[in-house]
């Protein structure tokens, strides 16, 4: 069993580890190990394809397309493009993105087994988890690495947000499931998402489109792209607004996404990536389970004094600093977000020869937020930088066809953040300053990977990552009373050194059958923000958090049972140490993170695609995910009493045991109605607990969606093509829980007894309802 023990170490030790790691795969880069270009070897890829392979890509991995911009013939495909032995679902543009109103990334990612989605805080913000990692979060996405065209979108503190993601910009999305730190480094405990923007040659012209629908939804989008000599450019821009289906949930967001390249010679490619997103969103109230059952969409909640039954209120300090609290609704409190995200990055790729590619990339990523919602208001600026260089070599090792990959990477984020109390009425008024943070968080590491063909049907994979992460900074907490203001200073100076080995074996007796086994590790260091929110949900000291680690075993098969039926089945078993568990200490308070010493995640993932008759197609994505604590004693205090509760054997909050997407569709294959199609899909999810004692469980749900679409060329018009689509979601108008913030258990201050389910069910600050019956339709013209 590979070791994945972290330990503290200084910068020198980390740099030595990175250098040693980098040296190992360079054996493949030597002229002695290389084959002549004419005899170069391309190993087949094991890829679980949940959707059509986009044009220009080859499903079995023998094509040469790369992140964002396709390399010229002869260029060495990068290992991270088609890693052998991984469990990957590809969500393609055709039939998943292009023929439906993709209002958020949540409308398309459910095609991948293992993916769980939660409504985030406002607008199209979605919180994504893979195999239940991060399923407890309801704001920022963590425990995964997110890439776009090969550039990191996850900041160095491990945070990813999906406000900036407009699905219509992409040609495909690859979902890597399971521990991925050997290939992608820090934070990849659950997996990785790799977004692929449409290139200029894929667009080849320009497109304009508009979508409109229920609750004031309106989206305008524009795409332009093409190739001219050595230049290629693809540009996407959109503006989306809506009133929202809940009180205080309107939003307006603008996105610009640019991918451009310059290829001055066949051996050199330069890539430019720019993303900018601005979002202004009103934030609705998170209700209790009892309030959800009475008033799921928080309607009639303009004012606390005249609020309808089931409305949620929050207590804001009357003078913004101390004294009595005034109950206000989300509308009265003017809860909102005003955030901006800007990413500018570039890459140089150089083909040393037909089998060797070297890359160097740098980038700048700034996240600014202003979030005066609930009982506190956060403001922050997080500029970050990343640098990476890697080398991919295809040749021989000991006379066997092999692929070697080595990478060195560094990233850092400079954090300046403040937290204020909120004052009631008069808009989003700030109260007294209660927390001030400044810190630097950085990651330095190296990763190496070797894929070797042991025999005609057998491929072995070995990988190793080593990374040092550091967090240095301080947090000053302020307390204001009638006699003045006092402050407390907490300082963090943490170092983490983590190792992540990976081993895999693939047996492919014939092209349509593949069997795989994999053991891999992942790690995620604490974020700076989590070090300074204490168990009361207020700024304070929580600096003893440890690295989260997991060791995962995968066993699965990918087969084409007969023509038209593709099937993938994967069983996984993962052992976690010091798993991060995040929960709400109470209504409107900041989420608090702690380590659970040991837990286990185990389950089964099934993906299937069946073209069972001409024009007919079925898609299935099913996940069974059983997650339990195996070693965790929770300590709860109230007044002068403290009680301890053994949570071993309890289910981890936020994780549904069963979830399913099943879709059946028909597209007219030929004749005058060719291009007309539609589908019906069912999205179902099991209920899940929201507390560590497993006293309160939110109900599961099943919703039905219907789609109709039409696409046709326009040979006699100015436009080349027209696309029309409409979708009715949640046809039966089911009221269901779209997001539930895990709740902290409490005890009776007099007896020490654990307080029961009834109190948890009445605790506000947890639940967003999912959308009711919604209709969205749109059109796109291609020129």
């Amino acid at each position: 069993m590979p070791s994945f023990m972290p330990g503290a170490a200084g910068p020198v030790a980390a740099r030595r580890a990175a250098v040693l790691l980098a040296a190992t795969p360079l054996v493949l880069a030597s002229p002695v190990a290389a084959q002549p270009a004419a005899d170069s070897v391309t190993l087949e890829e094991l890829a679980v394809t949940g959707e059509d392979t986009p044009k220009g890509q080859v499903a079995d991995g023998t094509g040469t397309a790369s992140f964002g911009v396709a390399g010229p013939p002869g260029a060495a495909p990068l290992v991270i493009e088609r890693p052998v032995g991984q469990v990957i679902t590809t969500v393609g543009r055709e039939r998943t993105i292009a023929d439906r109103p993709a209002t958020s990334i949540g409308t398309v990612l459910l095609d991948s087994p293992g993916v769980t989605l939660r409504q985030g805080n406002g607008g199209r913000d979605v919180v994504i988890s893979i195999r239940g990692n991060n399923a407890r979060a309801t704001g920022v996405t963590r425990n995964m690495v997110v890439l776009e065209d090969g550039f990191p979108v996850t900041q160095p503190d491990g945070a990813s947000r999906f406000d900036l993601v407009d699905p219509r910009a992409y040609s495909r999305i690859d979902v890597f499931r399971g521990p991925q730190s050997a290939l992608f480094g820090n934070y990849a405990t659950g997996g990785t998402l790799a977004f692929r923007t449409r290139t200029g040659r894929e667009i080849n012209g320009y497109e304009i489109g508009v979508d409109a629908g229920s609750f004031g939804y309106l989206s305008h989008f524009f795409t332009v792209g093409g190739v001219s000599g050595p230049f290629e450019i693809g540009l996407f821009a959109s503006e989306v607004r809506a009133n929202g289906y809940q009180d205080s949930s309107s939003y307006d967001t603008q996105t610009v996404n640019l991918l451009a390249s310059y290829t001055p010679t066949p051996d050199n490619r330069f890539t430019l990536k720019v993303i900018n997103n601005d979002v202004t969103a009103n934030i609705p109230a998170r209700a209790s389970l009892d309030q959800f059952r009475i008033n799921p969409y928080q309607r009639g909640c303009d004012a606390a004094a005249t609020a309808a039954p089931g409305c949620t209120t929050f207590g804001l300090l009357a003078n913004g600093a101390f004294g009595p609290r005034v109950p206000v609704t989300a509308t009265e409190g003017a809860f909102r977000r005003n955030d901006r995200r800007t990413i500018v990055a570039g890459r140089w790729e150089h083909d040393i020869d037909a089998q060797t590619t070297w890359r160097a990339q740098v980038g700048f990523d700034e996240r600014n937020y202003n979030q005066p919602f609930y009982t506190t208001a956060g403001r922050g600026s997080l500029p970050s930088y990343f640098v990476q260089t890697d080398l991919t070599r295809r040749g021989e090792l000991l006379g066997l066809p092999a692929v070697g990959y080595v990478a060195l990477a560094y990233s850092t984020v400079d954090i300046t953040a403040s937290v204020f109390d909120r004052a009631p009425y008069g808009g989003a008024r700030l109260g007294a300053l209660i927390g001030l943070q400044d810190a630097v968080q950085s990651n330095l590491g190296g990763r190496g990977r070797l894929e070797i063909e042991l025999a005609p049907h057998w491929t072995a994979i070995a990988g190793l990552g080593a990374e040092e992460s550091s967090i240095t900074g301080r947090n000053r907490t302020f307390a204001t009373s009638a006699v003045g203001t006092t402050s407390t200073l907490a300082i963090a100076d943490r170092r983490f050194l983590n190792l992540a080995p990976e081993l895999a074996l693939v047996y492919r007796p014939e092209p349509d059958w593949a069997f795989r086994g994999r053991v891999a590790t992942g790690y995620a260091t604490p974020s700076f923000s989590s070090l300074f929110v204490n168990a009361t949900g207020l700024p304070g000291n929580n600096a003893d958090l440890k690295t989260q680690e997991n060791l995962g075993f995968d066993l699965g098969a990918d087969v084409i049972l007969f023509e038209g039926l593709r099937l993938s089945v994967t069983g996984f078993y993962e052992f976690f140490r010091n798993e991060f568990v995040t929960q709400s200490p109470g209504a409107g308070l900041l989420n608090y993170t702690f380590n659970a010493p040991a837990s286990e995640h185990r389950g089964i993932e099934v993906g299937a695609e069946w073209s069972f008759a001409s024009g007919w197609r079925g898609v299935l994505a099913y996940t069974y995910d059983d997650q339990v604590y195996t070693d965790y004693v929770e300590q709860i205090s109230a007044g002068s009493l403290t009680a301890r509760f053994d949570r071993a054997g309890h289910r981890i909050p936020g994780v549904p045991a069963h979830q399913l997407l099943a879709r059946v569709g028909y597209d007219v294959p030929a004749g005058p109605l060719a291009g007309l199609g539609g589908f019906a899909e069912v999205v179902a999810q099991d209920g899940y607990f929201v507390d560590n004692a497993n006293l309160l469980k939110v109900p599961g749900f099943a919703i039905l969606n219907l789609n109709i679409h039409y696409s046709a060329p326009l040979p006699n018009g100015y436009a080349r093509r027209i696309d029309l689509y409409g979708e009715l979601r949640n046809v039966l108008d089911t009221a269901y829980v779209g997001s539930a913030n895990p709740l902290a258990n409490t005890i009776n201050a007099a007896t020490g007894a654990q307080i029961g389910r009834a109190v948890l069910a009445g605790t506000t600050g947890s639940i967003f309802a999912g959308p009711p019956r919604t209709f969205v339709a749109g059109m796109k013209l291609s020129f």
Side-chain angles (χ1 to χ4, degrees):
M1 181 180 298
S3 171
F4 63 115
M5 296 285 291
V12 174
R15 287 170 175 80
R16 287 176 179 172
V19 170
L20 289 173
L21 177 67
T24 304
L26 291 179
V27 175
L28 291 173
S30 67
V32 175
Q35 290 182 326
D39 298 326
S40 62
V41 175
T42 300
L43 300 182
E44 289 184 314
E45 175 203 17
L46 176 64
V48 181
T49 304
E51 277 295 340
D52 287 358
T53 302
K55 295 179 180 179
Q57 299 284 346
V58 180
D60 66 3
T62 57
T64 58
S66 62
F67 276 116
V69 180
L78 301 169
V79 167
I80 59 173
E81 288 301 300
R82 298 183 301 278
V84 177
Q86 298 282 357
V87 187
I88 307 173
T89 301
T90 295
V91 178
R93 183 174 182 81
E94 298 296 327
R95 300 177 179 174
T96 303
I97 299 174
D99 60 4
R100 68 187 310 176
T103 52
S104 76
I105 197 63
T107 60
V108 299
L109 275 181
L110 284 176
D111 280 46
S112 174
V115 172
T116 304
L117 302 166
R118 299 277 186 264
Q119 173 61 44
N121 289 321
R124 66 184 181 200
D125 187 30
V126 175
V127 180
I128 300 172
S129 70
I130 301 176
R131 290 186 176 175
N133 284 274
N134 198 61
R136 294 164 291 283
T138 52
V140 175
T141 294
R142 297 189 181 275
N143 298 333
M144 72 172 65
V145 169
V146 181
L147 304 171
E148 186 159 319
D149 300 316
F151 298 101
V153 178
T154 298
Q155 285 203 302
D157 66 341
S160 302
R161 295 207 79 127
F162 293 95
D163 298 292
L164 75 167
V165 174
D166 191 317
R168 291 162 299 196
Y170 303 106
S171 62
R172 80 189 228 219
I173 306 164
D174 290 340
V175 182
F176 294 70
R177 307 199 297 273
Q180 298 290 340
S181 290
L183 190 56
F184 296 106
N186 200 0
Y187 309 116
T189 54
T192 299
L193 291 178
F195 291 87
R196 317 299 182 99
T197 310
R198 296 174 71 195
T199 63
R201 69 191 68 187
E202 289 175 313
I203 300 166
N204 191 29
Y206 66 94
E207 304 167 352
I208 57 173
V210 60
D211 294 351
S214 305
F215 310 109
Y217 180 82
L218 181 63
S219 171
H220 303 276
F221 54 96
F222 173 81
T223 307
V224 62
V227 179
S228 178
F231 298 96
E232 181 174 6
I233 186 170
L235 174 66
F236 173 85
S238 68
E239 198 269 348
V240 183
R241 63 181 62 190
N243 297 328
Y245 59 89
Q246 302 185 79
D247 271 8
S248 186
S249 62
S250 61
Y251 67 92
D252 189 353
T253 182
Q254 300 84 38
T255 304
V256 176
N257 196 321
L258 170 71
L259 178 67
S261 70
Y262 171 56
T263 308
T265 70
D267 297 332
N268 292 281
R269 296 174 298 282
F270 297 88
T271 302
L272 173 66
K273 181 69 183 180
V274 179
I275 307 173
N276 188 80
N277 173 258
D278 290 274
V279 58
T280 299
N282 290 326
I283 307 300
R286 286 188 177 272
S288 68
L289 183 59
D290 289 342
Q291 290 167 332
F292 163 78
R293 287 169 171 158
I294 297 170
N295 190 352
Y297 308 113
Q298 292 292 289
R299 293 177 181 157
C301 301
D302 289 337
T306 59
C311 287
T312 300
T313 61
F314 298 85
L316 304 188
L317 292 169
N319 64 3
F322 57 89
R325 290 189 175 270
V326 177
V328 299
T329 65
T331 302
E332 287 178 307
F335 299 154
R336 65 181 56 151
R337 290 177 52 206
N338 301 98
D339 297 354
R340 179 178 60 81
R341 184 80 178 273
T342 302
I343 299 173
V344 180
R347 177 170 58 238
W348 175 29
E349 297 177 71
H350 174 64
D351 295 329
I352 299 173
D353 56 40
Q355 297 163 291
T356 310
T357 297
W358 171 72
R359 304 193 315 171
Q361 63 183 34
V362 298
F364 169 76
D365 179 353
E366 182 168 21
R367 185 168 96 243
N368 283 278
Y369 66 89
N370 178 17
Q371 300 179 349
F373 64 87
Y374 302 151
T375 60
T376 60
R379 289 181 171 180
S381 175
L382 292 88
S384 65
Y385 309 87
F386 61 85
V387 180
Q388 179 174 314
T389 182
D390 57 61
L391 185 72
T392 302
R393 176 68 173 175
R394 292 178 176 264
E396 282 191 347
L397 181 64
L398 303 177
L400 299 174
V403 181
Y405 170 78
V406 63
L408 293 173
Y410 174 76
S411 62
T412 185
V413 58
D414 190 354
I415 303 164
T416 302
S418 54
V419 182
F420 298 83
D421 266 323
R422 277 297 319 277
Y425 311 126
R429 291 198 303 128
L430 301 184
L433 178 68
I434 59 174
L436 187 61
Q437 301 175 355
D438 57 88
V440 174
Q441 184 164 345
S442 60
N443 306 286
L444 171 65
R447 301 184 287 275
R449 181 180 174 89
L450 175 65
E451 301 174 0
I452 185 167
E453 188 177 305
L454 300 176
H457 303 302
W458 293 89
T459 303
I461 301 94
L464 178 65
E467 189 166 8
E468 183 190 55
S469 300
S470 66
I471 305 174
T472 58
R474 61 182 182 175
N475 179 81
R476 190 176 294 276
T477 303
F478 301 90
T480 303
S481 66
V483 297
T485 300
T486 60
S487 66
T488 303
L489 179 65
I491 296 176
D493 188 0
R494 302 289 307 276
R495 297 288 188 276
F496 308 89
L497 179 62
N498 293 289
L499 299 177
E502 174 186 359
L503 295 172
L505 186 65
V506 177
Y507 172 57
R508 177 166 280 179
E510 54 182 88
D512 293 343
W513 291 75
F515 303 92
R516 49 184 160 74
R518 178 174 179 262
V519 55
T521 51
Y523 57 86
T525 56
S527 67
F528 179 80
S529 59
S530 65
L531 295 180
F532 292 111
V533 177
N534 61 31
T536 66
L538 296 171
N541 193 351
N542 191 33
D544 292 331
L545 283 175
K546 302 174 183 178
T547 296
Q548 171 181 278
E549 310 157 325
N550 62 327
L551 171 65
F553 297 86
D554 287 344
L555 188 63
D558 309 299
V559 301
I560 299 178
L561 293 176
F562 48 82
E563 185 175 357
L565 178 59
R566 304 166 62 94
L567 177 66
S568 172
V569 179
T570 302
F572 64 90
Y573 209 123
E574 299 179 10
F575 298 87
F576 274 75
R577 288 196 313 178
N578 298 316
E579 181 173 7
F580 293 143
V581 179
T582 301
Q583 61 191 29
S584 169
L589 296 171
L590 300 172
N591 283 342
Y592 163 65
T593 300
F594 57 91
N595 291 118
S599 54
E600 294 180 4
H601 303 186
R602 53 272 179 118
I604 299 172
E605 299 161 332
V606 180
E609 178 183 334
W610 187 14
S611 300
F612 51 89
S614 178
W616 288 93
R617 179 172 173 266
V619 174
L620 173 71
Y622 168 76
T623 306
Y624 169 70
D625 195 354
D626 180 31
Q627 300 192 6
V628 296
Y629 295 121
T630 55
D631 179 13
Y632 172 41
V633 177
E634 185 173 17
Q635 182 173 295
I636 305 175
S637 297
S640 60
L641 287 180
T642 298
R644 295 167 63 86
F645 300 90
D646 188 356
R647 305 303 191 196
H650 286 216
R651 293 187 179 274
I652 296 176
V655 182
H658 303 275
Q659 59 182 26
L660 169 78
L661 176 137
R663 180 187 303 129
V664 176
Y666 176 74
D667 288 272
V668 179
L673 295 180
L676 178 65
F679 61 77
E681 69 178 12
V682 173
V683 177
Q685 190 177 104
D686 195 16
Y688 53 88
F689 291 105
V690 293
D691 67 303
N692 289 325
N694 291 177
L695 299 176
L696 184 66
K697 190 175 189 179
V698 300
F701 64 87
I703 60 173
L704 172 66
N705 303 325
L706 299 176
N707 170 283
I708 187 171
H709 52 267
Y710 177 70
S711 180
L714 300 174
N716 299 320
Y718 181 60
R720 290 185 291 120
R721 189 173 194 85
I722 186 170
D723 291 271
L724 303 171
Y725 42 78
E727 198 157 299
L728 183 62
R729 300 172 182 165
N730 194 0
V731 174
L732 302 180
D733 202 21
T734 302
Y736 68 97
V737 175
S739 175
N741 203 356
L743 298 173
N745 294 107
T746 56
I747 61 172
N748 186 301
T751 65
Q754 190 166 246
I755 293 177
R757 179 188 180 281
V759 171
L760 286 172
T763 302
T764 60
S766 178
I767 291 175
F768 279 157
R773 183 187 296 119
T774 305
F775 179 72
V776 183
M779 67 169 291
K780 181 183 69 175
L781 287 172
S782 303
F783 300 86

